[in-house]
Amino acid sequence: MTFAGIVVAAGSGSRAGGDKQWRDLGGRPVVRWSVEAMLDAGAEEVVVVIAPDGMDRTGTALAGLSGWRAVQGGAERADSVRAGLDALTGAPDRPVLVHDAARPLLSRAVIDRLLQALSGCDGAIAALPVADTLKRGEAAVIRATVDRDGLWRAQTPQAFRAGRLQAAYAIWPPGQTPTDDASVVERDGGDVRLIEGDPRLMKLTYPEDFAMAEALIATQTRPTQTRVGQGFDAHRWGPGDTVWLCGVEIAHDRTLVGHSDADAGLHALTDAVLGAMGDGDIGDHFPPTDPKWKGAASDQFLIHAVERLTARGGRLVNVDVTLICERPKVKPHRQAMRERLADILHLPLDAVSVKATTMEGMGFTGREEGLAASAIATIELPA
């Protein structure tokens, strides 16, 4: 599912000693952790909301990343969220995740759970049930014990359709300060769901919180190995009027013949991912003799390969596909192919390449007897 992100980093962080979003944590600026997490999860765009004097520091902190831009926030957090929403370029029904930069240890699992929960409701937030006994005190004296049943600790990100959150903010009473974005949608009658949060999504509020976050990072840091896999596939031409290439249907005077939809680009890429893991090939997982896969959409083959990679604790870094054919012309459809692959693989667009070449009339592709595709996938796996 495509989505956008807003990372709120406009606060002063005075209780943590000031400028906490720019401080180093585990070798990276605090704000970079959240922006990278959203981009790695497939965010189409990430808007970073900063203080008026933070533009240069943002560029330094996020150097080398693409797919983000910075806007100036306001005096209150709600003003900064509004500024982030106004800066979004997508459709009003696109999901947006609003996140505080002060919660740097954001995982892909939390993002995925939020996006899945957003279907059929107005919002979804990461939260943890309250486990400790709660006391209400006055002047350091206990006045009451509070029943914790049904109480949750709200975290960020919080997920909404962009237009729904904007509409709720538009009718928020002037002069009042919401404690979070979910309360804005709640007040407007919205249905906001709770999803399982993550204890590691702690908020950096006090100086000692940095020491705890560093300790968490140290326990999670594992050596990794980078692997590269390659794949190749070819199909002959047959009667038809459309062809599937890299998940995009293209009008053509012939079609590719195969047991599934014969999408050679996706087949080659699936083999590249499986090959990088040493996990066989596409035929091992989806035998062409099995009628179950007759005419099947090939995106499910690629999704299966990536799910197997994720189950082993790995991640996809980038992919590169080359289509080899005389016709159809690939260039008019290349951007759509890249976007489709980025959506399937949950990769930023600049980590997806689709190219095309001809054989100058030579060989079976040059004689237009068929089409071929080659692919390379780079992955990281725990060492």
Side-chain angles (χ1 to χ4, degrees):
M1 178 186 295
T2 59
F3 71 99
I6 295 174
V7 176
V8 182
S12 64
S14 57
R15 287 180 293 178
D19 291 341
K20 62 185 176 185
Q21 62 270 51
W22 313 119
R23 287 177 57 181
D24 185 83
L25 179 70
R28 288 182 275 174
V30 167
V31 68
R32 189 182 181 99
W33 284 84
S34 299
V35 176
E36 279 191 349
M38 289 200 177
L39 291 174
D40 287 347
E44 291 183 311
E45 60 176 334
V46 177
V47 175
V48 186
V49 189
I50 59 172
D53 61 350
M55 190 62 70
D56 290 342
R57 301 176 83 173
T58 308
T60 300
L62 303 181
L65 298 180
S66 60
W68 66 273
R69 64 183 180 282
V71 300
Q72 291 185 9
E76 301 289 343
R77 182 186 182 280
D79 299 322
S80 294
V81 174
R82 286 189 177 105
L85 288 168
D86 290 342
L88 294 177
T89 60
D93 63 345
R94 184 177 61 173
V96 57
L97 269 59
V98 183
H99 185 55
D100 295 326
R103 296 183 186 270
L105 303 185
L106 174 59
S107 70
R108 172 68 175 273
V110 170
I111 292 174
D112 288 345
R113 288 198 293 269
L114 283 167
L115 293 174
Q116 290 172 5
L118 191 57
S119 176
C121 66
D122 296 293
I125 73 168
L128 295 172
V130 174
D132 299 317
T133 297
L134 297 177
K135 302 289 186 181
R136 180 175 288 112
E138 182 180 337
V141 177
I142 295 174
R143 300 301 183 190
T145 299
V146 179
D147 184 3
R148 70 188 180 205
D149 187 43
L151 295 182
W152 295 75
R153 291 191 290 132
Q155 299 180 313
T156 66
Q158 300 187 349
F160 312 89
R161 302 288 175 181
R164 182 67 180 88
L165 185 56
Q166 282 182 311
Y169 263 115
I171 63 169
W172 182 263
Q176 295 187 25
T177 302
T179 56
D180 68 352
D181 306 297
S183 62
V184 177
V185 175
E186 292 166 35
R187 189 185 182 281
D188 191 31
D191 174 28
V192 181
R193 294 181 183 173
L194 296 164
I195 67 107
E196 178 188 355
D198 187 341
R200 293 167 296 185
L201 259 179
M202 56 180 292
K203 188 174 183 181
L204 300 176
T205 303
Y206 302 104
E208 56 268 27
D209 294 336
F210 278 81
M212 184 175 293
E214 290 281 6
L216 285 171
I217 291 170
T219 61
Q220 296 178 103
T221 302
R222 295 180 297 172
T224 61
Q225 56 182 239
T226 300
R227 297 186 182 184
V228 177
Q230 67 176 14
F232 180 86
D233 191 50
H235 288 276
R236 59 185 175 85
W237 289 113
D241 54 13
T242 64
V243 59
W244 283 94
L245 292 173
C246 293
V248 175
E249 189 175 24
I250 300 171
H252 192 48
D253 56 8
R254 287 183 290 176
T255 193
L256 292 173
V257 178
H259 187 63
S260 63
D261 63 7
D263 189 324
L266 292 188
H267 293 178
L269 189 50
T270 301
D271 268 349
V273 176
L274 292 171
M277 290 188 287
D279 196 14
D281 60 26
I282 193 171
D284 294 327
H285 296 266
F286 304 96
T289 55
D290 189 342
K292 177 180 178 181
W293 308 117
K294 179 67 175 176
S298 296
D299 56 358
Q300 62 188 306
F301 305 157
L302 183 56
I303 291 169
H304 171 81
V306 175
E307 287 176 344
R308 291 181 68 85
L309 173 63
T310 302
R312 289 177 55 177
R315 75 179 187 97
L316 194 59
V317 178
N318 76 294
V319 298
D320 187 5
V321 180
T322 300
L323 300 173
I324 307 165
C325 60
E326 301 295 323
R327 295 186 306 128
K329 295 299 182 184
V330 171
K331 187 174 182 179
H333 310 283
R334 185 166 60 188
Q335 185 67 10
M337 293 178 185
R338 293 180 65 213
E339 291 174 353
R340 177 61 182 143
L341 289 178
D343 184 48
I344 294 171
L345 300 170
H346 301 292
L347 284 176
L349 192 61
D350 64 357
V352 177
S353 172
V354 175
K355 309 187 300 294
T357 189
T358 72
M359 290 294 289
E360 302 289 344
M362 300 179 292
F364 74 92
T365 63
R367 295 190 297 270
E368 297 193 50
E369 297 169 5
L371 176 148
S374 66
I376 294 175
T378 306
I379 68 170
E380 286 183 351
L381 278 174

PDB file of all heavy atoms in Angstrom, residues 41 47 49 71 86 94 106 120 125 138 142 159 168 190 212 221 226 235 244 250 277 286 305-306 327 345 356:
ATOM      1  N   ALA A  41      10.286   1.570   4.192  1.00  0.00           N
ATOM      2  CA  ALA A  41       9.001   0.866   4.183  1.00  0.00           C
ATOM      3  C   ALA A  41       8.174   1.178   2.947  1.00  0.00           C
ATOM      4  O   ALA A  41       7.086   0.633   2.779  1.00  0.00           O
ATOM      5  CB  ALA A  41       8.205   1.212   5.445  1.00  0.00           C
ATOM      6  N   VAL A  47       7.538  14.235   4.500  1.00  0.00           N
ATOM      7  CA  VAL A  47       7.662  15.655   4.809  1.00  0.00           C
ATOM      8  C   VAL A  47       8.222  15.779   6.225  1.00  0.00           C
ATOM      9  O   VAL A  47       7.646  15.247   7.172  1.00  0.00           O
ATOM     10  CB  VAL A  47       6.309  16.376   4.706  1.00  0.00           C
ATOM     11  CG1 VAL A  47       6.441  17.835   5.147  1.00  0.00           C
ATOM     12  CG2 VAL A  47       5.779  16.307   3.278  1.00  0.00           C
ATOM     13  N   VAL A  49       8.993  18.201   9.214  1.00  0.00           N
ATOM     14  CA  VAL A  49       8.571  19.512   9.700  1.00  0.00           C
ATOM     15  C   VAL A  49       9.589  19.985  10.725  1.00  0.00           C
ATOM     16  O   VAL A  49       9.821  19.326  11.740  1.00  0.00           O
ATOM     17  CB  VAL A  49       7.168  19.459  10.315  1.00  0.00           C
ATOM     18  CG1 VAL A  49       6.669  20.870  10.619  1.00  0.00           C
ATOM     19  CG2 VAL A  49       6.190  18.750   9.371  1.00  0.00           C
ATOM     20  N   VAL A  71       9.688  21.320   5.570  1.00  0.00           N
ATOM     21  CA  VAL A  71       8.864  22.519   5.649  1.00  0.00           C
ATOM     22  C   VAL A  71       8.946  23.056   7.073  1.00  0.00           C
ATOM     23  O   VAL A  71       9.265  22.325   8.009  1.00  0.00           O
ATOM     24  CB  VAL A  71       7.385  22.248   5.280  1.00  0.00           C
ATOM     25  CG1 VAL A  71       7.267  21.728   3.856  1.00  0.00           C
ATOM     26  CG2 VAL A  71       6.759  21.251   6.256  1.00  0.00           C
ATOM     27  N   ASP A  86      -0.360  20.175   4.695  1.00  0.00           N
ATOM     28  CA  ASP A  86      -0.487  21.114   3.577  1.00  0.00           C
ATOM     29  C   ASP A  86       0.586  20.889   2.515  1.00  0.00           C
ATOM     30  O   ASP A  86       0.386  21.229   1.345  1.00  0.00           O
ATOM     31  CB  ASP A  86      -0.402  22.557   4.086  1.00  0.00           C
ATOM     32  CG  ASP A  86      -1.621  22.967   4.894  1.00  0.00           C
ATOM     33  OD1 ASP A  86      -2.661  22.295   4.779  1.00  0.00           O
ATOM     34  OD2 ASP A  86      -1.521  23.955   5.650  1.00  0.00           O
ATOM     35  N   ARG A  94      -5.043   9.028   0.238  1.00  0.00           N
ATOM     36  CA  ARG A  94      -3.796   8.297   0.478  1.00  0.00           C
ATOM     37  C   ARG A  94      -3.477   8.287   1.973  1.00  0.00           C
ATOM     38  O   ARG A  94      -3.588   9.303   2.649  1.00  0.00           O
ATOM     39  CB  ARG A  94      -2.639   8.928  -0.282  1.00  0.00           C
ATOM     40  CG  ARG A  94      -1.331   8.154  -0.135  1.00  0.00           C
ATOM     41  CD  ARG A  94      -0.213   8.752  -0.946  1.00  0.00           C
ATOM     42  NE  ARG A  94       0.097  10.109  -0.538  1.00  0.00           N
ATOM     43  CZ  ARG A  94       1.130  10.809  -1.001  1.00  0.00           C
ATOM     44  NH1 ARG A  94       1.927  10.270  -1.897  1.00  0.00           N
ATOM     45  NH2 ARG A  94       1.341  12.035  -0.589  1.00  0.00           N
ATOM     46  N   LEU A 106      11.700   3.256  15.013  1.00  0.00           N
ATOM     47  CA  LEU A 106      10.491   2.831  14.302  1.00  0.00           C
ATOM     48  C   LEU A 106      10.801   1.624  13.428  1.00  0.00           C
ATOM     49  O   LEU A 106      11.762   1.625  12.659  1.00  0.00           O
ATOM     50  CB  LEU A 106       9.983   3.984  13.438  1.00  0.00           C
ATOM     51  CG  LEU A 106       8.804   3.710  12.502  1.00  0.00           C
ATOM     52  CD1 LEU A 106       7.579   3.250  13.275  1.00  0.00           C
ATOM     53  CD2 LEU A 106       8.498   4.956  11.679  1.00  0.00           C
ATOM     54  N   GLY A 120     -10.986   0.427   6.471  1.00  0.00           N
ATOM     55  CA  GLY A 120     -12.294   0.338   7.117  1.00  0.00           C
ATOM     56  C   GLY A 120     -12.462   1.188   8.353  1.00  0.00           C
ATOM     57  O   GLY A 120     -13.451   1.039   9.076  1.00  0.00           O
ATOM     58  N   ILE A 125      -3.633   3.906  15.503  1.00  0.00           N
ATOM     59  CA  ILE A 125      -2.453   4.374  16.224  1.00  0.00           C
ATOM     60  C   ILE A 125      -1.735   3.194  16.868  1.00  0.00           C
ATOM     61  O   ILE A 125      -2.351   2.191  17.231  1.00  0.00           O
ATOM     62  CB  ILE A 125      -2.799   5.420  17.303  1.00  0.00           C
ATOM     63  CG1 ILE A 125      -3.498   4.778  18.508  1.00  0.00           C
ATOM     64  CG2 ILE A 125      -3.656   6.536  16.725  1.00  0.00           C
ATOM     65  CD1 ILE A 125      -3.600   5.701  19.710  1.00  0.00           C
ATOM     66  N   GLU A 138      -0.882  14.349  44.539  1.00  0.00           N
ATOM     67  CA  GLU A 138      -0.940  15.793  44.721  1.00  0.00           C
ATOM     68  C   GLU A 138       0.091  16.158  45.783  1.00  0.00           C
ATOM     69  O   GLU A 138       0.096  15.596  46.884  1.00  0.00           O
ATOM     70  CB  GLU A 138      -2.337  16.227  45.179  1.00  0.00           C
ATOM     71  CG  GLU A 138      -2.492  17.730  45.334  1.00  0.00           C
ATOM     72  CD  GLU A 138      -3.893  18.094  45.779  1.00  0.00           C
ATOM     73  OE1 GLU A 138      -4.833  17.293  45.559  1.00  0.00           O
ATOM     74  OE2 GLU A 138      -4.047  19.172  46.372  1.00  0.00           O
ATOM     75  N   ILE A 142      -0.030  10.379  47.463  1.00  0.00           N
ATOM     76  CA  ILE A 142      -1.019   9.620  46.689  1.00  0.00           C
ATOM     77  C   ILE A 142      -2.425   9.993  47.150  1.00  0.00           C
ATOM     78  O   ILE A 142      -2.740   9.943  48.336  1.00  0.00           O
ATOM     79  CB  ILE A 142      -0.791   8.107  46.859  1.00  0.00           C
ATOM     80  CG1 ILE A 142       0.558   7.706  46.246  1.00  0.00           C
ATOM     81  CG2 ILE A 142      -1.925   7.319  46.209  1.00  0.00           C
ATOM     82  CD1 ILE A 142       0.926   6.257  46.492  1.00  0.00           C
ATOM     83  N   ALA A 159      -1.841   6.768  11.955  1.00  0.00           N
ATOM     84  CA  ALA A 159      -2.162   6.669  10.526  1.00  0.00           C
ATOM     85  C   ALA A 159      -3.585   7.138  10.246  1.00  0.00           C
ATOM     86  O   ALA A 159      -4.513   6.795  10.986  1.00  0.00           O
ATOM     87  CB  ALA A 159      -1.989   5.232  10.044  1.00  0.00           C
ATOM     88  N   ALA A 168     -10.565  17.041   9.929  1.00  0.00           N
ATOM     89  CA  ALA A 168     -10.737  17.076  11.384  1.00  0.00           C
ATOM     90  C   ALA A 168      -9.997  18.260  11.999  1.00  0.00           C
ATOM     91  O   ALA A 168     -10.507  18.929  12.905  1.00  0.00           O
ATOM     92  CB  ALA A 168     -10.246  15.756  11.991  1.00  0.00           C
ATOM     93  N   GLY A 190     -14.591  10.409  14.504  1.00  0.00           N
ATOM     94  CA  GLY A 190     -13.897   9.352  13.784  1.00  0.00           C
ATOM     95  C   GLY A 190     -13.666   8.106  14.612  1.00  0.00           C
ATOM     96  O   GLY A 190     -13.590   8.148  15.837  1.00  0.00           O
ATOM     97  N   MET A 212      19.402   4.804  27.253  1.00  0.00           N
ATOM     98  CA  MET A 212      18.586   3.606  27.097  1.00  0.00           C
ATOM     99  C   MET A 212      18.424   3.257  25.617  1.00  0.00           C
ATOM    100  O   MET A 212      18.501   2.076  25.230  1.00  0.00           O
ATOM    101  CB  MET A 212      17.210   3.810  27.739  1.00  0.00           C
ATOM    102  CG  MET A 212      16.329   2.578  27.695  1.00  0.00           C
ATOM    103  SD  MET A 212      14.779   2.793  28.593  1.00  0.00           S
ATOM    104  CE  MET A 212      15.400   2.921  30.280  1.00  0.00           C
ATOM    105  N   THR A 221      21.815  -4.549  17.027  1.00  0.00           N
ATOM    106  CA  THR A 221      22.770  -4.493  15.922  1.00  0.00           C
ATOM    107  C   THR A 221      23.399  -5.860  15.694  1.00  0.00           C
ATOM    108  O   THR A 221      24.019  -6.427  16.575  1.00  0.00           O
ATOM    109  CB  THR A 221      23.874  -3.461  16.215  1.00  0.00           C
ATOM    110  OG1 THR A 221      23.270  -2.184  16.428  1.00  0.00           O
ATOM    111  CG2 THR A 221      24.842  -3.369  15.051  1.00  0.00           C
ATOM    112  N   THR A 226      25.944  -8.799   2.572  1.00  0.00           N
ATOM    113  CA  THR A 226      25.281  -8.346   1.353  1.00  0.00           C
ATOM    114  C   THR A 226      25.451  -9.416   0.278  1.00  0.00           C
ATOM    115  O   THR A 226      26.554  -9.917   0.054  1.00  0.00           O
ATOM    116  CB  THR A 226      25.882  -7.021   0.860  1.00  0.00           C
ATOM    117  OG1 THR A 226      25.724  -6.031   1.877  1.00  0.00           O
ATOM    118  CG2 THR A 226      25.180  -6.553  -0.407  1.00  0.00           C
ATOM    119  N   HIS A 235      10.074 -15.798 -22.850  1.00  0.00           N
ATOM    120  CA  HIS A 235       8.808 -16.382 -23.305  1.00  0.00           C
ATOM    121  C   HIS A 235       8.645 -16.069 -24.788  1.00  0.00           C
ATOM    122  O   HIS A 235       9.088 -15.026 -25.281  1.00  0.00           O
ATOM    123  CB  HIS A 235       7.619 -15.795 -22.525  1.00  0.00           C
ATOM    124  CG  HIS A 235       7.537 -16.281 -21.111  1.00  0.00           C
ATOM    125  ND1 HIS A 235       6.943 -17.465 -20.759  1.00  0.00           N
ATOM    126  CD2 HIS A 235       7.986 -15.725 -19.955  1.00  0.00           C
ATOM    127  CE1 HIS A 235       7.015 -17.624 -19.452  1.00  0.00           C
ATOM    128  NE2 HIS A 235       7.647 -16.584 -18.928  1.00  0.00           N
ATOM    129  N   TRP A 244       1.939  -8.460 -20.301  1.00  0.00           N
ATOM    130  CA  TRP A 244       2.304  -8.030 -18.949  1.00  0.00           C
ATOM    131  C   TRP A 244       3.821  -7.974 -18.844  1.00  0.00           C
ATOM    132  O   TRP A 244       4.520  -8.948 -19.124  1.00  0.00           O
ATOM    133  CB  TRP A 244       1.753  -9.012 -17.914  1.00  0.00           C
ATOM    134  CG  TRP A 244       0.288  -8.849 -17.675  1.00  0.00           C
ATOM    135  CD1 TRP A 244      -0.728  -9.530 -18.274  1.00  0.00           C
ATOM    136  CD2 TRP A 244      -0.327  -7.945 -16.755  1.00  0.00           C
ATOM    137  NE1 TRP A 244      -1.945  -9.103 -17.800  1.00  0.00           N
ATOM    138  CE2 TRP A 244      -1.729  -8.131 -16.852  1.00  0.00           C
ATOM    139  CE3 TRP A 244       0.151  -6.991 -15.849  1.00  0.00           C
ATOM    140  CZ2 TRP A 244      -2.639  -7.401 -16.085  1.00  0.00           C
ATOM    141  CZ3 TRP A 244      -0.741  -6.269 -15.087  1.00  0.00           C
ATOM    142  CH2 TRP A 244      -2.116  -6.467 -15.210  1.00  0.00           C
ATOM    143  N   ILE A 250       0.328  -3.847 -21.004  1.00  0.00           N
ATOM    144  CA  ILE A 250       0.610  -2.955 -22.128  1.00  0.00           C
ATOM    145  C   ILE A 250      -0.139  -3.457 -23.360  1.00  0.00           C
ATOM    146  O   ILE A 250      -0.118  -4.656 -23.669  1.00  0.00           O
ATOM    147  CB  ILE A 250       2.124  -2.922 -22.424  1.00  0.00           C
ATOM    148  CG1 ILE A 250       2.903  -2.416 -21.198  1.00  0.00           C
ATOM    149  CG2 ILE A 250       2.420  -2.050 -23.632  1.00  0.00           C
ATOM    150  CD1 ILE A 250       4.412  -2.561 -21.347  1.00  0.00           C
ATOM    151  N   MET A 277      19.244 -15.534  -2.010  1.00  0.00           N
ATOM    152  CA  MET A 277      19.083 -16.258  -0.743  1.00  0.00           C
ATOM    153  C   MET A 277      19.560 -17.698  -0.823  1.00  0.00           C
ATOM    154  O   MET A 277      19.610 -18.391   0.193  1.00  0.00           O
ATOM    155  CB  MET A 277      17.599 -16.272  -0.332  1.00  0.00           C
ATOM    156  CG  MET A 277      17.036 -14.953   0.092  1.00  0.00           C
ATOM    157  SD  MET A 277      15.376 -15.185   0.759  1.00  0.00           S
ATOM    158  CE  MET A 277      14.456 -15.507  -0.743  1.00  0.00           C
ATOM    159  N   PHE A 286       6.786 -22.565  -7.583  1.00  0.00           N
ATOM    160  CA  PHE A 286       5.534 -22.488  -8.352  1.00  0.00           C
ATOM    161  C   PHE A 286       5.680 -23.355  -9.604  1.00  0.00           C
ATOM    162  O   PHE A 286       5.882 -22.842 -10.710  1.00  0.00           O
ATOM    163  CB  PHE A 286       5.220 -21.037  -8.731  1.00  0.00           C
ATOM    164  CG  PHE A 286       5.151 -20.103  -7.554  1.00  0.00           C
ATOM    165  CD1 PHE A 286       6.251 -19.341  -7.190  1.00  0.00           C
ATOM    166  CD2 PHE A 286       3.986 -20.002  -6.797  1.00  0.00           C
ATOM    167  CE1 PHE A 286       6.191 -18.484  -6.105  1.00  0.00           C
ATOM    168  CE2 PHE A 286       3.919 -19.157  -5.703  1.00  0.00           C
ATOM    169  CZ  PHE A 286       5.023 -18.400  -5.352  1.00  0.00           C
ATOM    170  N   ALA A 305       8.646 -14.433  -2.756  1.00  0.00           N
ATOM    171  CA  ALA A 305      10.100 -14.440  -2.591  1.00  0.00           C
ATOM    172  C   ALA A 305      10.540 -13.422  -1.538  1.00  0.00           C
ATOM    173  O   ALA A 305      11.396 -13.714  -0.696  1.00  0.00           O
ATOM    174  CB  ALA A 305      10.774 -14.158  -3.923  1.00  0.00           C
ATOM    175  N   VAL A 306       9.945 -12.234  -1.577  1.00  0.00           N
ATOM    176  CA  VAL A 306      10.318 -11.195  -0.605  1.00  0.00           C
ATOM    177  C   VAL A 306       9.861 -11.588   0.804  1.00  0.00           C
ATOM    178  O   VAL A 306      10.563 -11.321   1.792  1.00  0.00           O
ATOM    179  CB  VAL A 306       9.728  -9.835  -1.027  1.00  0.00           C
ATOM    180  CG1 VAL A 306       9.996  -8.778   0.038  1.00  0.00           C
ATOM    181  CG2 VAL A 306      10.322  -9.395  -2.359  1.00  0.00           C
ATOM    182  N   ARG A 327      10.061  -5.091 -29.786  1.00  0.00           N
ATOM    183  CA  ARG A 327       8.789  -4.447 -29.480  1.00  0.00           C
ATOM    184  C   ARG A 327       8.127  -5.204 -28.329  1.00  0.00           C
ATOM    185  O   ARG A 327       8.414  -6.405 -28.163  1.00  0.00           O
ATOM    186  CB  ARG A 327       7.858  -4.462 -30.719  1.00  0.00           C
ATOM    187  CG  ARG A 327       8.328  -3.662 -31.886  1.00  0.00           C
ATOM    188  CD  ARG A 327       7.279  -3.626 -33.010  1.00  0.00           C
ATOM    189  NE  ARG A 327       6.842  -4.973 -33.416  1.00  0.00           N
ATOM    190  CZ  ARG A 327       5.553  -5.350 -33.481  1.00  0.00           C
ATOM    191  NH1 ARG A 327       4.593  -4.510 -33.159  1.00  0.00           N
ATOM    192  NH2 ARG A 327       5.252  -6.570 -33.853  1.00  0.00           N
ATOM    193  N   LEU A 345       7.469  -4.223  -3.859  1.00  0.00           N
ATOM    194  CA  LEU A 345       8.650  -4.548  -3.063  1.00  0.00           C
ATOM    195  C   LEU A 345       8.821  -3.656  -1.838  1.00  0.00           C
ATOM    196  O   LEU A 345       9.730  -3.880  -1.040  1.00  0.00           O
ATOM    197  CB  LEU A 345       9.901  -4.435  -3.947  1.00  0.00           C
ATOM    198  CG  LEU A 345       9.931  -5.353  -5.168  1.00  0.00           C
ATOM    199  CD1 LEU A 345      11.094  -4.983  -6.080  1.00  0.00           C
ATOM    200  CD2 LEU A 345      10.026  -6.808  -4.751  1.00  0.00           C
ATOM    201  N   ALA A 356      15.652  -1.222 -20.930  1.00  0.00           N
ATOM    202  CA  ALA A 356      15.303  -2.058 -22.082  1.00  0.00           C
ATOM    203  C   ALA A 356      16.402  -1.958 -23.122  1.00  0.00           C
ATOM    204  O   ALA A 356      17.098  -0.934 -23.227  1.00  0.00           O
ATOM    205  CB  ALA A 356      13.965  -1.634 -22.680  1.00  0.00           C
TER     206      ALA A 356
END
